[in-house]
């Protein structure tokens, strides 16, 4: 691989490119990853795509010579997301559907498994598909990990595994709240819980070296076109000068982390995490209710030119998770040497700058 001939990872988005280069220049322990082959599932999703770009940036700036295997269902979608970056020799697209098994030629040293249903509406309109994507998809990835005798795997779980909390204490990895198995929206947290247990089962029975990352809501520069989660909705409202419409009372307490901070955390877990253990990835300072974050966007980001409007339907047609008072502790993640670096306003400012870059490119 000729390093000086590699194109940048996101040349048209200065905010994202800056993030990627910051990751490459950070204290991520990348020595162990040099010359390895890393498979990233969910490579057309938010976290997966940024992981692929970050590894590519490490190759260009730090000569890590990582062979990046990006698993996608649609090469056409991948081309729309990555553009000319796919012409680089250090990135190989692997086309496949996790539901149908997984075949990868050649060596695989590490796996970052991020493929999952993430749209709340899909969780209530296609609950069976949501469950089976989690269970069957993760099983097939673990089988590949077993076959390839990998060095380490990180499974991307979610803070939703913790269920309901009363807010009386910070949530550490050894605690667990209540999830109602009779609520259809519970397919997501229950599926994540089962997948975590499946990871432990493969570690115990087949010695597959897997670690678990429990992600807070993650956003920042480089969000994908069509992203419709609450952070993107609030940002668009602030940018377009339109009122923010909430379909709940917004009482649920959210835990957030900037995308670049999350990528650094995942790489740290991949190299330094302990098999069979879970790690919360969250910035404790970026903790707020949905309603307060909406007010923050209206007042701080939009300069008070828009309002927060409540339009609450009688049924949960939007698939929002049940209200919970939960603040994640990232102390265990910090013990590995990781520190989050972006506060909530920086998360939004950088994401909005990135969104403007995308708009300019489209125009």
């Amino acid at each position: 691989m000729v390093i000086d001939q590699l194109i940048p990872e996101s040349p048209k988005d200065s905010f994202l490119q800056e993030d990627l280069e910051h990751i490459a220049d950070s204290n991520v322990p990348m020595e162990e990853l040099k010359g390895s082959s890393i498979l990233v599932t969910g490579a057309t999703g938010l976290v997966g795509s940024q992981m692929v770009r970050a590894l590519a940036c490490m190759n260009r700036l730090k000569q890590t010579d990582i062979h990046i295997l990006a698993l996608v269902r649609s090469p056409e979608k991948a081309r729309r997301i990555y553009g000319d970056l796919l012409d680089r020799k250090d990135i190989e697209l692997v086309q496949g559907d996790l539901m149908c098994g997984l075949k990868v030629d050649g060596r695989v040293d590490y796996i970052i498994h991020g493929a999952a249903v993430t749209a709340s509406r899909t969780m209530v309109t296609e609950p069976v598909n949501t469950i089976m994507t989690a269970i069957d998809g993760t099983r097939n990835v673990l089988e590949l990990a077993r076959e390839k005798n990998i060095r380490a795997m990180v499974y991307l779980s979610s803070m939703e595994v913790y269920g309901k909390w009363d807010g009386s204490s910070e949530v550490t990895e050894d605690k667990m709240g209540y999830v109602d198995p009779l609520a259809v929206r519970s397919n997501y947290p229950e599926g994540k819980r089962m997948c975590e247990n499946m990871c432990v089962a493969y570690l115990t029975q087949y010695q597959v070296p897997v670690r678990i990352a429990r992600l807070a809501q993650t956003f920042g520069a480089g969000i994908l076109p069509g992203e419709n989660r609450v952070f993107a909705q609030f940002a668009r409202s602030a940018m377009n000068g339109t009122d923010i419409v909430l379909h709940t009372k917004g009482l649920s307490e959210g835990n957030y982390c900037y995308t670049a901070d999350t990528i650094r955390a995942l790489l740290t877990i991949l190299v330094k995490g302990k098999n069979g253990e879970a790690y919360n990835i969250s910035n404790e300072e970026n903790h707020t209710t949905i309603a307060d974050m909406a007010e923050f966007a209206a007042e701080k980001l939009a300069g008070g030119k828009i309002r927060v409007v409540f339009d609450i339907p009688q049924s949960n047609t939007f698939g929002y998770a049940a209200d919970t008072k939960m603040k994640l502790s990232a102390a265990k993640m910090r013990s590995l040497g990781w520190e989050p670096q972006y506060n909530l306003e920086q998360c939004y400012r950088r994401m909005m700058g990135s969104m403007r870059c995308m708009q300019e490119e489209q125009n």
Side-chain angles (χ1 to χ4, degrees), residues 202-266:
Y202 268 79
L203 169 63
T204 302
Q205 188 168 343
Y206 302 121
Q207 294 74 55
V208 174
V210 59
R211 305 93 191 258
I212 296 159
R214 292 175 179 161
L215 273 61
Q217 186 79 272
T218 300
F219 71 96
I223 66 167
L224 302 173
E227 176 63 73
N228 201 40
R229 279 174 284 185
V230 64
F231 52 82
Q233 295 181 31
F234 290 0
R236 290 191 187 100
S237 291
M239 292 168 66
N240 298 332
T242 56
D243 291 343
I244 294 174
V245 181
L246 293 184
H247 298 296
T248 71
K249 293 180 180 180
L251 302 179
S252 191
E253 296 180 6
N255 299 266
Y256 302 92
C257 194
Y258 190 65
T259 317
D261 285 340
T262 297
I263 297 300
R264 288 191 299 106
L266 292 171

Side-chain angles (χ1 to χ4, degrees), residues 281-314:
I281 301 179
S282 181
N283 185 341
E284 294 99 332
E285 299 302 315
N286 295 347
H287 175 264
T288 180
T289 66
I290 300 298
D292 285 346
M293 190 166 72
E295 290 291 347
F296 161 81
E299 292 298 322
K300 189 76 172 181
L301 302 178
K305 297 179 181 179
I306 63 175
R307 300 177 303 140
V308 178
V309 178
F310 292 88
D311 180 15
I312 304 174
Q314 291 184 342

Side-chain angles (χ1 to χ4, degrees), residues 30 60 67 101 169 178 190 217 228 257 295 302 322 340:
M30 61 185 71
R60 182 172 59 86
H67 181 207
S169 62
Y178 173 70
E190 292 281 40
Q217 186 79 272
N228 201 40
C257 194
E295 290 291 347

